[in-house]
Amino acid sequence: MEGKIENILISQAEIAEKTAEVGRLISENYKDKKLYILSLLRGSFIFTADLVRQISIPVQIGFMATSSYEHGESSTGNVKIVQDILDNIEGYDVLIVDDIVDTGTTMKSVKEHLLSYNPASVKCCVLLDKPERRKVDLEPDYKCFTIPDVFVVGYGLNYGDYYRNIPYVFNWESK
Ligand code: IMP
Ligand code: MG
């Protein structure tokens, strides 16, 4: 762990600054809407907690758990809904919040799933975008950072069952 700290890709200060900016933009764009933030567990719990505190308009917050990775670094391509949304989102303007859009498979299938509940709109907001790995047609509506094709950990993102609690994003692969 110690040796990894110098591989910080995005610092706490950079995350805080960008999250505040995106929070302001969301507050402005949704000011006349019924905003429902849907946080995808587990990866987005820290980003969601910071982002919603930068949103200045009324907002409801809910969670959904999906899984596509089996404790490794590559996606299986199968998105499983481990726990579905508990609220009725009919007529709401849903903003899905996740840690990262990588292949895009997770976000695309969650979006399609939510549309069956008749929300007024479904958009997405991510901390990180890794466009080089995209396999489906999916562009995040809001994002904080675009990163190259490297495996990153921290600030909610895991490797195995660990590192979600590290307060910044670091590059797992470099030595
Ligand atoms: P996608 O379906 O391929 O877009 O992958 C989305 C999920 O894969 C994210 O919610 C993460 O949990 C995981 N993931 C993708 N890239 C990384 C990474 O660099 N580090 C940690 N998790 C990642
Ligand atoms: Mg993960």
Side-chain angles (χ1 to χ4, degrees):
M1 190 56 237
E2 268 84 72
K4 300 281 180 189
I5 287 166
E6 60 235 47
N7 303 322
I8 294 180
L9 193 67
I10 309 167
S11 70
Q12 283 180 265
E14 288 171 302
I15 294 169
E17 191 188 334
K18 200 70 195 174
T19 303
E21 194 183 300
V22 171
R24 275 195 300 274
L25 188 61
I26 291 167
S27 305
E28 179 60 30
N29 293 351
Y30 284 85
K31 66 173 182 283
D32 302 316
K33 307 210 167 187
K34 270 173 87 176
L35 176 58
Y36 186 100
I37 295 268
L38 178 64
S39 173
L40 299 187
L41 296 171
R42 286 175 262 179
S44 78
F45 80 109
I46 290 179
F47 177 48
T48 301
D50 283 342
L51 179 69
V52 294
R53 283 178 288 177
Q54 300 297 331
I55 292 177
S56 56
I57 57 169
V59 55
Q60 291 189 41
I61 302 160
F63 301 89
M64 206 173 128
T66 58
S67 78
S68 63
Y69 278 32
E70 304 293 336
H71 300 285
E73 291 187 15
S74 61
S75 176
T76 58
N78 283 323
V79 180
K80 210 165 63 188
I81 293 170
V82 178
Q83 188 199 288
D84 203 354
I85 186 166
L86 298 173
D87 298 311
N88 180 3
I89 54 164
E90 188 171 347
Y92 279 84
D93 291 286
V94 178
L95 186 62
I96 307 163
V97 175
D98 205 0
D99 51 0
I100 186 167
V101 175
D102 184 27
T103 65
T105 319
T106 303
M107 193 56 86
K108 193 170 184 173
S109 67
V110 169
K111 259 182 143 171
E112 279 163 11
H113 171 74
L114 293 178
L115 285 170
S116 69
Y117 296 135
N118 294 317
S121 66
V122 180
K123 291 195 172 184
C124 67
C125 173
V126 292
L127 176 73
L128 306 172
D129 184 16
K130 215 194 266 182
E132 284 169 42
R133 300 233 322 152
R134 205 73 94 247
K135 285 192 188 140
V136 297
D137 182 24
L138 191 285
E139 212 20 71
D141 301 287
Y142 300 90
K143 64 178 161 193
C144 292
F145 305 97
T146 300
I147 61 165
D149 181 11
V150 292
F151 195 76
V152 292
V153 186
Y155 198 74
L157 292 113
N158 65 306
Y159 177 67
D161 291 324
Y162 290 95
Y163 310 111
R164 294 191 198 273
N165 58 312
I166 306 301
Y168 46 82
V169 174
F170 68 98
N171 183 350
W172 177 257
E173 286 157 340
S174 60
K175 293 284 161 316

